[in-house]
Amino acid sequence: MKKIFLTLAIAATMVACGQQGDKTEQQQAEQTAQKVVIPPGMPTPPVSQPINPNAGLAQDPNPTPQDPNKPVLKMEEGKPLDLSQLMGPRKSMEESAADNIDTIRYQAEHGNADYQYFYGACYDNGWGVEQNHAEALNWYQKAANQGQKSSFNAIGNLYRVGQGVKQDDKTAFTWFKKGTDVKDAQAMLNLGNCYYYGRGTDRNLDEAIVWWSESAKLGNAYALAQMGDCYLYGKGVEKDLVKAVDCLKKAADKNVAGAQFRLGILYYTGQGVEQDQVYSELLMKKARDGGMKEAQDFLDRQFKK
C-alpha cells in the first residue's frame, strides 16, 4: 500500500512540474511576441529637409588672403617637450612644470638642452615662474646653441609676435628656416605659412606646399589638416579626394577641429567616403567642442531633433 501511495505522489509531482514548465514556456513566448524585432540592415530615417550636396564645400577655406597678418592656420607657439619623468597622473603640463620647477631650473643651469628649452617654455607661459618673454628667449637661445630642435621654432614665434623682442617677420622667417634644417615639423609648418602669406619673404604657394607637405610627413596635425584642405580644393596641388580624406582623417584623430568639421561634411554628403551621417554628427560635435562655431551651426541645421 505504501508503495502505491509513493508511486502516486511521484506521478503527481511530475505532472505539476510539467504544467509549471508549460506555463513558463507560454510566458516566455508571450514576452517574445511583445518584443519589436528590427531586421538588420534597415536604413536610417532620412533627414527632415533636403540639403545642398555641396553644403560647406562651396567656398575655399583658404582664399587669397586680404589681410597678410591673418594666418591660414594657427601658427603654433611651440609645445614644450613631454618630459615623461616629470608628468604625474592626471596632471597638466603647467601643473607638472610648476611642481618640478626646481628640478627643471637645476637641469637647465647645468647645460641640459631639453631642460633649457623647457625652462624657456616655463617663462614663456608663466609655469612655476613669473611670465617673462625676454627670459624665455634667453633659455630658448641656450637650447638652440646646442641644437635642441623645438627651440628654433619657439624663437621664431617670439619674433613673429613681438614678445620679448621687437616684432620682426624676417628674423622669424630665419629662425623657422633654421628649424627646418634640424627637421622640426612645427618650424616646417610655420615656414610654409610664411611663404603662403609672404611674411618675412616673398609669397610663394609652391614653397608653402613643399613645407606643409614635409611637416605632414612628420605627422604634424595642423600640416595634415592644411594638406587635406589643399587636396580637397585643388589649391597648389591637383584635386584628390582620396588624399584629402586620408590627411583629414589623420588630423581629425589628432583633434584638429577644422579637419573634424571638413571631414564631417564629407561623411554627411558621401563625398570621397561612404556616406555615414551618424559618424558625421559625431565629428561635428568634436569640432564644436574644439571651438568651431560653424560645426554648431551645422548641427543645428542638419541634426536638430
Side-chain angles (χ1 to χ4, degrees):
M1 181 66 69
K2 289 182 178 179
K3 289 184 178 179
I4 294 174
F5 281 123
L6 180 61
T7 301
L8 291 174
I10 293 173
T13 300
M14 292 177 65
V15 170
C17 290
Q19 291 176 343
Q20 181 64 33
D22 292 342
K23 184 177 181 181
T24 300
E25 291 179 359
Q26 182 179 1
Q27 289 176 342
Q28 291 176 342
E30 291 175 353
Q31 291 175 355
T32 301
Q34 293 174 358
K35 291 181 180 179
V36 179
V37 180
I38 301 176
M42 288 292 288
T44 57
V47 293
S48 58
Q49 57 180 342
I51 69 163
N52 180 350
N54 294 317
L57 300 178
Q59 295 184 348
D60 184 343
N62 297 322
T64 300
Q66 300 299 317
D67 177 5
N69 294 318
K70 184 177 181 182
V72 58
L73 281 175
K74 178 184 177 183
M75 286 189 176
E76 289 292 278
E77 303 303 327
K79 296 180 180 178
L81 299 177
D82 181 4
L83 300 180
S84 58
Q85 65 268 36
L86 300 181
M87 298 298 287
R90 297 184 299 277
K91 282 190 176 182
S92 67
M93 185 72 75
E94 178 180 1
E95 291 171 329
S96 295
D99 288 347
N100 295 275
I101 194 64
D102 291 334
T103 299
I104 297 169
R105 180 186 300 111
Y106 177 87
Q107 293 288 351
E109 290 176 345
H110 284 76
N112 185 302
D114 285 341
Y115 278 90
Q116 287 173 340
Y117 166 71
F118 197 68
Y119 196 32
C122 289
Y123 275 109
D124 210 351
N125 296 280
W127 295 346
V129 293
E130 186 175 350
Q131 190 176 44
N132 186 325
H133 295 299
E135 193 64 20
L137 177 62
N138 174 48
W139 286 102
Y140 286 151
Q141 287 178 324
K142 289 179 184 292
N145 290 340
Q146 297 194 69
Q148 203 283 335
K149 292 172 61 172
S150 301
S151 59
F152 296 99
N153 179 72
I155 294 172
N157 271 305
L158 290 178
Y159 278 101
R160 178 180 66 84
V161 297
Q163 291 180 324
V165 290
K166 182 179 179 181
Q167 197 278 335
D168 189 331
D169 282 341
K170 288 186 177 181
T171 302
F173 176 86
T174 298
W175 280 102
F176 291 143
K177 184 67 173 67
K178 289 180 179 180
T180 67
D181 293 338
V182 295
K183 307 297 182 184
D184 181 70
Q186 194 62 51
M188 291 174 177
L189 171 68
N190 283 341
L191 189 68
N193 287 346
C194 287
Y195 276 116
Y196 184 78
Y197 282 114
R199 295 189 63 170
T201 186
D202 294 333
R203 291 193 64 195
N204 188 324
L205 179 58
D206 291 338
E207 280 293 315
I209 295 293
V210 166
W211 291 110
W212 288 336
S213 179
E214 289 298 311
S215 181
K217 289 176 184 177
L218 293 177
N220 182 279
Y222 288 95
L224 284 164
Q226 187 68 312
M227 289 307 301
D229 281 353
C230 288
Y231 283 119
L232 182 61
Y233 295 96
K235 193 172 188 65
V237 294
E238 185 175 351
K239 186 175 181 178
D240 189 326
L241 278 178
V242 173
K243 290 182 178 179
V245 169
D246 180 60
C247 289
L248 290 173
K249 279 184 175 180
K250 291 175 180 177
D253 287 343
K254 295 175 182 285
N255 290 320
V256 178
Q260 292 167 339
F261 173 74
R262 207 90 68 230
L263 195 61
I265 292 175
L266 292 179
Y267 272 101
Y268 191 90
T269 60
Q271 292 180 272
V273 293
E274 184 176 351
Q275 189 177 36
D276 187 337
Q277 294 183 358
V278 174
Y279 188 44
S280 170
E281 183 176 12
L282 174 63
L283 286 166
M284 285 296 174
K285 287 180 178 178
K286 286 180 175 291
R288 173 202 61 196
D289 294 343
M292 283 204 70
K293 180 181 180 298
E294 296 88 343
Q296 182 62 63
D297 293 342
F298 192 90
L299 286 166
D300 290 342
R301 186 169 67 251
Q302 306 304 344
F303 293 102
K304 191 173 184 180
K305 299 295 190 288

